[in-house]
Amino acid sequence: MSLSTPLIPRHDMAGGNVPGHVNADGVYVPTSEERTAYQALHIPWAEQVKYGYYALYFLCGLLFTFLITNVIWKVRTRYNVKIPLYSRAVALLRLLTYPQLPVNKWLSLLWTFGPLGPNLLLLAGLLFVSAFTWINQYYYYPPYYGSAPLYLRSEWLAMATLPFVYVLGSKRNIISVLTGVSHEKLQVLHQGAAFNFTYMSLVHTIAAIIRARQEKGLVYATQTNEVYVSGFVALSPLLVLFVGALPPFRKSFYEAFYWVHIIMALFFAGALFWHGYKLLDSDAYMIATIVLFLLGVTWRLVMMFLDNPILHRATATLIDEETIKLMIPTLYIKWSPGQHVFIRFSTVRPLESHPFSIATVPRPDEQSNSVRNMVFLLKPLSGFTKTLFEDVRANEGKVTYKVLIDGPYGGAGHDLRAFDSVLVIAGGTGITWALSVLQDLAYYGKGQEVRMIWAVRHTDALSWFEHELETLQKRMPSFKIQIYVTRENPRSTATISVDETKEHHPADEGRSIPIDTPATELSMSFDKTHKFPSNPGRPYLPALIEEQARTTQGSLSVACCGPPSMLVDCSNAVTKAQIGILKGVYPELNEVFLKSESYGW
Ligand SMILES: Cc1cc2nc3c(=O)[nH]c(=O)nc-3n(C[C@H](O)[C@H](O)[C@H](O)COP(=O)(O)OP(=O)(O)OC[C@H]3O[C@@H](n4cnc5c(N)ncnc54)[C@H](O)[C@@H]3O)c2cc1C
């Protein structure tokens, strides 16, 4: 990224600049010795690489902190080791990280708001680079005395961030391995690191332009100094990357965004080599970026090859007008609860691959070399999923496709098994994620208390899972199910009309819901045609989670997958429970952990 002046600038003898003399504009042009001596007294050019080191210390320090946290978490969940002060320290940490930020209509055009934790981290990063850039107000040398300190600082702060930007954006990457945080959760950090990188690059560019204007002008600088040209060439793809990734574009034109992003990221890397390779530390940052990025890509390709020695066969069936069920038998892929894979269909928009959560986990007797079934539920939206839906419908509701599987990624791991009580909350097709979590607890759990709340639009949807839920109930006698139907299907026999937006607040019934109340008692006889009775309206999650926290003895995990508003309610209610732990409101409860999955980034 350097726009810095070579030690002997090419234009010294051009344009009337004779070192040691006053030029045509009446400005003294120093000799290179004078310039070096001047810089040595102020901020030497080469010394400014230290800003890159500061950024590296900051980023590696964070990485190390996450690594240690990951190790502590693994020890806690795998071996159930009691760690002194763990309960209060963790409650405090979660209090600071779980709350969801209020969404501002205008700011959300720039940023996808989410939990406070990653936003705090990114704010710390932003303050860090801003402080190092702006606090020292020695921004420019006098004309002809060399590169502006402001653009050197911002350059090195940006360069040190570069490997992190590329690695955080990769599906398989070293940061996920070290921290245990999967690619979809790292997306927000990728976006934040890229934001900082672009911010520093713009400071770098503007400072370079100002410096050029203080001397013989920008046109002259671009004509005589190639580094200005390569700088602008590198800036163009960076701006396309930045603007193209803003939420309105990314969410509305995901496929276009994705391909433009990949192509521009490669173009940018190439332009950066042209712009600043072999300038002090720049080659180290660039090579680290390329090596780490290519390692991730190679790892992903190798895994894809090993997982798909031949293309998998996926049978798609229409369950109803809103859902496709996909069944993919596999011999090769191993997965854990809550994981998702990217599926590429060979005959339906083959250039695209989309993430879907696996609704099953391998049963204990399936773990060896037998064929295991991956089951998915897909909700048709307006792009690929709609095309697939129409294709299946045109083929009498059932088609078999050849597909390439990339993954699995993410998931709940086996962490939830360690908790004394697990509350699983699912909205709509979030049930796929929830089911695999429940199956894991049923097959491999320690017999803990498990409760599920599922909000679904139509009672039709219940029939997909009745068999599965019954099996779970048989395996986990204490398993409680509460189903909320938010909008009755007009084709159903039920006659009560329901306001989807209305929450089914326990207080509506003049009492709170005791945790051991069977779902049958809670039911308002809304639907008698299904084995699992349901309540009308949306579940009032704050009260349900509070109730669960109040009655849990030991540790509680809330696992939530559903629409954004549901995740917000869960996060905020679990945050409130942390306050309860710190204040000693729940004497029997020592920990509340939130595991959430959102179907987007
Ligand atoms: C980790 C994860 C797990 C998911 N699991 C499920 C599941 O089990 N069942 C289910 O029905 N849906 C699931 N989704 C959502 C599903 O991936 C999208 O609905 C699907 O990709 C939309 O494709 P489309 O072209 O029809 O979307 P469009 O109608 O074009 O866009 C709808 C939304 O989907 C987003 N989107 C589109 N393509 C992608 C993509 N390749 N990757 C990420 N987001 C994309 C868009 O940004 C937009 O916000 C999951 C998403 C994620 C991130």
Side-chain angles (χ1 to χ4, degrees), residues 276-494:
Y277 190 60
K278 286 272 176 220
L279 251 173
L280 298 175
D281 287 349
S282 62
D283 41 345
Y285 292 121
M286 289 183 199
I287 289 171
T289 304
I290 301 281
V291 168
L292 290 172
F293 180 70
L294 287 182
L295 265 180
V297 172
T298 313
W299 179 17
R300 190 174 165 204
L301 290 176
V302 168
M303 289 310 294
M304 240 193 274
F305 179 74
L306 294 177
D307 288 341
N308 301 267
I310 49 165
L311 290 182
H312 284 83
R313 296 179 81 80
T315 304
T317 321
L318 286 196
I319 304 187
D320 58 30
E321 284 300 304
E322 289 185 351
T323 322
I324 308 165
K325 180 178 167 191
L326 204 64
M327 169 99 87
I328 309 182
T330 181
L331 249 180
Y332 310 101
I333 296 175
K334 292 195 168 65
W335 70 97
S336 60
Q339 288 201 297
H340 62 273
V341 294
F342 287 76
I343 308 180
R344 188 184 300 275
F345 287 69
S346 62
T347 50
V348 185
R349 295 168 70 153
L351 288 182
E352 300 181 19
S353 76
H354 291 259
F356 297 104
S357 302
I358 311 170
T360 44
V361 287
R363 292 194 309 270
D365 56 322
E366 280 182 335
Q367 290 234 330
S368 56
N369 287 341
S370 57
V371 173
R372 301 169 292 272
N373 277 325
M374 292 193 286
V375 177
F376 304 84
L377 284 189
L378 279 55
K379 189 173 171 203
L381 298 176
S382 58
F384 159 80
T385 45
K386 188 170 174 223
T387 312
L388 182 71
F389 180 81
E390 281 163 0
D391 195 54
V392 181
R393 189 161 55 184
N395 286 285
E396 295 172 358
K398 190 167 181 180
V399 191
T400 299
Y401 299 98
K402 286 188 175 167
V403 295
L404 181 80
I405 309 272
D406 172 14
Y409 298 102
H414 305 305
D415 302 348
L416 304 189
R417 294 179 195 170
F419 287 82
D420 300 315
S421 172
V422 181
L423 172 61
V424 179
I425 300 172
T429 45
I431 186 69
T432 52
W433 184 88
L435 260 191
S436 68
V437 166
L438 289 166
Q439 286 174 7
D440 187 68
L441 292 169
Y443 295 137
Y444 310 99
K446 59 177 186 179
Q448 59 267 83
E449 181 197 5
V450 181
R451 177 185 179 193
M452 180 180 88
I453 296 167
W454 180 22
V456 67
R457 281 191 179 177
H458 306 303
T459 46
D460 273 5
L462 306 187
S463 51
W464 315 330
F465 292 111
E466 264 172 3
H467 173 70
E468 201 48 56
L469 294 177
E470 271 180 327
T471 312
L472 287 170
Q473 235 173 9
K474 277 185 202 139
R475 293 194 72 96
M476 297 187 289
S478 66
F479 180 41
K480 298 187 187 75
I481 305 172
Q482 281 171 272
I483 294 171
Y484 292 79
V485 179
T486 60
R487 187 196 295 170
E488 187 43 295
N489 190 326
R491 285 171 290 131
S492 163
T493 50

Side-chain angles (χ1 to χ4, degrees), residues 165-358:
V165 175
Y166 275 70
V167 170
L168 287 167
S170 311
K171 296 223 162 46
R172 293 195 188 267
N173 67 73
I174 179 81
I175 295 181
S176 288
V177 174
L178 294 176
T179 60
V181 182
S182 173
H183 76 95
E184 76 283 3
K185 299 267 192 292
L186 291 178
Q187 275 302 316
V188 60
L189 300 183
H190 165 68
Q191 290 160 16
F195 181 91
N196 265 355
F197 184 88
T198 311
Y199 163 41
M200 285 296 103
S201 301
L202 284 174
V203 172
H204 174 71
T205 308
I206 292 167
I209 293 171
I210 291 174
R211 182 224 166 169
R213 287 169 60 88
Q214 285 172 349
E215 297 180 357
K216 293 195 88 63
L218 187 59
V219 174
Y220 180 81
T222 50
Q223 284 166 351
T224 54
N225 197 346
E226 189 180 275
V227 93
Y228 272 85
V229 179
S230 58
F232 285 115
V233 171
L235 188 67
S236 325
L238 183 62
L239 292 181
V240 175
L241 282 166
F242 181 76
V243 175
L246 291 176
F249 298 111
R250 189 176 73 235
K251 293 192 174 164
S252 308
F253 313 101
Y254 188 86
E255 287 310 316
F257 147 77
Y258 179 80
W259 286 109
V260 168
H261 210 70
I262 301 278
I263 293 165
M264 287 296 137
L266 294 175
F267 178 23
F268 174 68
L272 208 54
F273 265 85
W274 176 27
H275 181 55
Y277 190 60
K278 286 272 176 220
L279 251 173
L280 298 175
D281 287 349
S282 62
D283 41 345
Y285 292 121
M286 289 183 199
I287 289 171
T289 304
I290 301 281
V291 168
L292 290 172
F293 180 70
L294 287 182
L295 265 180
V297 172
T298 313
W299 179 17
R300 190 174 165 204
L301 290 176
V302 168
M303 289 310 294
M304 240 193 274
F305 179 74
L306 294 177
D307 288 341
N308 301 267
I310 49 165
L311 290 182
H312 284 83
R313 296 179 81 80
T315 304
T317 321
L318 286 196
I319 304 187
D320 58 30
E321 284 300 304
E322 289 185 351
T323 322
I324 308 165
K325 180 178 167 191
L326 204 64
M327 169 99 87
I328 309 182
T330 181
L331 249 180
Y332 310 101
I333 296 175
K334 292 195 168 65
W335 70 97
S336 60
Q339 288 201 297
H340 62 273
V341 294
F342 287 76
I343 308 180
R344 188 184 300 275
F345 287 69
S346 62
T347 50
V348 185
R349 295 168 70 153
L351 288 182
E352 300 181 19
S353 76
H354 291 259
F356 297 104
S357 302
I358 311 170

Side-chain angles (χ1 to χ4, degrees), residues 68-80 179-180 415:
I68 297 295
T69 316
N70 187 26
V71 172
I72 295 175
W73 178 246
K74 291 273 178 289
V75 170
R76 185 257 173 267
T77 51
R78 299 240 168 114
Y79 307 107
N80 215 3
T179 60
D415 302 348

Side-chain angles (χ1 to χ4, degrees), residues 1-5 45 48-53 55 129 132-133 147-162 196-197 199-205 207-208 227 272 275-283 285-286:
M1 279 301 289
S2 174
L3 292 174
S4 54
T5 317
W45 173 69
Q48 305 214 32
V49 290
K50 68 183 180 194
Y51 290 99
Y53 304 152
V129 293
F132 276 112
T133 307
S147 310
L150 181 60
Y151 80 56
L152 292 175
R153 275 177 234 161
S154 46
E155 167 188 353
W156 293 116
L157 288 166
M159 284 306 288
T161 318
L162 186 69
N196 265 355
F197 184 88
Y199 163 41
M200 285 296 103
S201 301
L202 284 174
V203 172
H204 174 71
T205 308
V227 93
L272 208 54
H275 181 55
Y277 190 60
K278 286 272 176 220
L279 251 173
L280 298 175
D281 287 349
S282 62
D283 41 345
Y285 292 121
M286 289 183 199

Side-chain angles (χ1 to χ4, degrees), residues 24-52:
D25 301 324
V27 180
Y28 177 73
V29 180
T31 62
S32 82
E33 291 76 28
E34 284 170 326
R35 206 173 47 223
T36 309
Y38 180 88
Q39 287 190 6
L41 283 178
H42 295 84
I43 307 175
W45 173 69
E47 228 179 63
Q48 305 214 32
V49 290
K50 68 183 180 194
Y51 290 99

